[in-house]
Amino acid sequence: MQKAERQNKILEIINTNQIGSQGELTELLESKGFSVNQSSISRDLLELGVVKVHGAYAVPQKNNYASFGLISLEIAGDNLIVAKTDTGFAAAVCVRIDNAKIPEIVGTIAGEDTIFIAVRNQKEQRVVLKRVWEIFEN
Amino acid sequence: MQKAERQNKILEIINTNQIGSQGELTELLESKGFSVNQSSISRDLLELGVVKVHGAYAVPQKNNYASFGLISLEIAGDNLIVAKTDTGFAAAVCVRIDNAKIPEIVGTIAGEDTIFIAVRNQKEQRVVLKRVWEIFEN
DNA sequence: AAGATTATGCACATAATCTGCATAACCCAA
DNA sequence: TTGGGTTATGCAGATTATGTGCATAATCTT
């Protein structure tokens, strides 16, 4: 099985290149010896929680200085998103998320450095991932 | 698949009966409509962590002083685990869990006596359940 | 609205898990 | 130590789950 390997490579690629479409990514992978087509890429990106921001795919995970407390966003199951923040910042970050009034968010709960965001399904999960990420990226 | 169902029944049975052997348990299960043999029972008991004490099978009681606050672990949906702790201990227990850096754990949130542990799917749920339990059992 | 991009139902391939059988390993009383 | 009762396990086949491409639907962008 080469799925895991392929997904690692995908992360590597989108972290070092500006990838604008799945077709592009597919070609790159093929040129590196992976036999794969667009459908699988689509599913891989879904699994990895990769989203397209400003026209390029990106992993919503960054040690961006400007990101104000938010460290990473990760999906869990199909109705949860888990956000990691700097210690003590969860509440503050959560307030910003709540203020955005993203309709797909069913509810949020903040701990010390973690926030759970509940959504209804996978599709909403992706939407929220993207929206939240947009709030904090600069 | 009837494995999960069968294992639940096994727990129920050994909690309400004195079961002295796997053969005995096998018969009881068959009489309740489960088609199973001793080999599988053996494997089930192993998985469930059931042990024979004073000649009867029993689920090990975790009220162990060494368990340091953790009272129970329970699954919810297929991407959540809910841990109950002694009142006021949730944060402390949660720190121990976090420190274990279990990769399958997406995030944790501690309240007063409850911890939510987010994982990605059922498989990871099982892994985490086991690992967390291992942290607190010795 | 049209073309580009991404998602998905379906069918099939592959991999993982489950299970019984047979039997080995273990336990313990005498 | 031995023998009967009990439990564990290697193996092979059955069953389930996962991964994949194809064709095409749904969605997005302009």
Side-chain angles (χ1 to χ4, degrees):
Chain A
M1 169 158 48
Q2 72 170 143
K3 187 184 165 199
E5 224 184 314
R6 185 184 65 229
Q7 293 193 341
N8 278 336
K9 182 59 77 176
I10 288 177
L11 290 177
E12 185 192 317
I13 291 177
I14 65 176
N15 275 326
T16 52
N17 302 70
Q18 290 286 110
I19 303 298
S21 77
Q22 296 183 3
E24 200 177 328
L25 186 49
T26 307
E27 280 176 21
L28 254 170
L29 283 167
E30 297 238 270
S31 80
K32 287 174 192 296
F34 291 87
S35 159
V36 70
N37 73 354
Q38 177 267 326
S39 332
S40 294
I41 298 290
S42 169
R43 289 182 274 239
D44 283 345
L45 295 178
L46 175 63
E47 262 185 68
L48 294 168
V50 167
V51 293
K52 204 176 192 175
V53 185
H54 298 332
Y57 284 105
V59 187
Q61 170 146 350
K62 209 54 197 91
N63 13 343
N64 201 322
Y65 357 165
S67 70
F68 180 53
L70 180 61
I71 292 174
S72 69
L73 288 172
E74 211 176 330
I75 63 179
D78 55 7
N79 57 341
L80 253 193
I81 296 172
V82 178
K84 294 288 178 54
T85 72
D86 294 325
T87 307
F89 276 74
V93 168
C94 195
V95 166
R96 277 190 77 181
I97 294 173
D98 289 346
N99 284 343
K101 304 249 184 269
I102 300 168
E104 287 84 2
I105 292 182
V106 178
T108 59
I109 176 175
E112 187 72 8
D113 59 4
T114 305
I115 302 167
F116 278 17
I117 302 170
V119 296
R120 297 183 191 78
N121 53 54
Q122 248 179 359
K123 189 167 287 190
E124 295 191 354
Q125 201 178 37
R126 268 176 283 163
V127 172
V128 171
L129 200 60
K130 191 169 176 175
R131 293 256 190 294
V132 170
W133 190 249
E134 283 168 353
I135 297 174
F136 289 90
E137 63 161 5
N138 52 2
Chain B
M1 166 150 59
Q2 74 170 139
K3 188 185 164 197
E5 223 184 316
R6 185 184 66 228
Q7 293 192 343
N8 278 335
K9 182 59 77 175
I10 288 177
L11 290 177
E12 184 190 318
I13 290 177
I14 66 176
N15 275 327
T16 53
N17 301 70
Q18 290 287 109
I19 302 297
S21 78
Q22 295 182 5
E24 202 177 326
L25 186 48
T26 307
E27 281 177 20
L28 254 170
L29 283 167
E30 297 238 271
S31 80
K32 288 176 191 294
F34 290 86
S35 159
V36 70
N37 76 351
Q38 178 266 327
S39 332
S40 294
I41 299 290
S42 169
R43 290 182 271 240
D44 283 345
L45 295 178
L46 177 62
E47 263 185 67
L48 292 167
V50 167
V51 294
K52 205 175 191 175
V53 185
H54 298 139
Y57 283 106
V59 184
Q61 220 32 273
K62 319 306 198 189
N63 287 359
N64 227 308
Y65 26 114
S67 72
F68 182 52
L70 180 62
I71 292 174
S72 68
L73 288 172
E74 213 175 324
I75 64 178
D78 55 7
N79 59 332
L80 257 192
I81 296 171
V82 179
K84 293 289 177 55
T85 72
D86 295 325
T87 305
F89 276 74
V93 168
C94 195
V95 165
R96 279 190 76 180
I97 294 173
D98 288 344
N99 285 343
K101 303 247 186 275
I102 299 167
E104 288 82 4
I105 292 182
V106 179
T108 58
I109 287 188
E112 188 70 10
D113 60 2
T114 303
I115 301 168
F116 278 17
I117 301 170
V119 296
R120 298 181 191 78
N121 53 55
Q122 247 177 356
K123 187 172 290 187
E124 296 192 355
Q125 203 177 36
R126 267 181 283 167
V127 172
V128 171
L129 207 56
K130 193 168 176 181
R131 293 255 189 296
V132 170
W133 192 252
E134 283 167 354
I135 297 174
F136 289 91
E137 78 180 341
N138 62 4

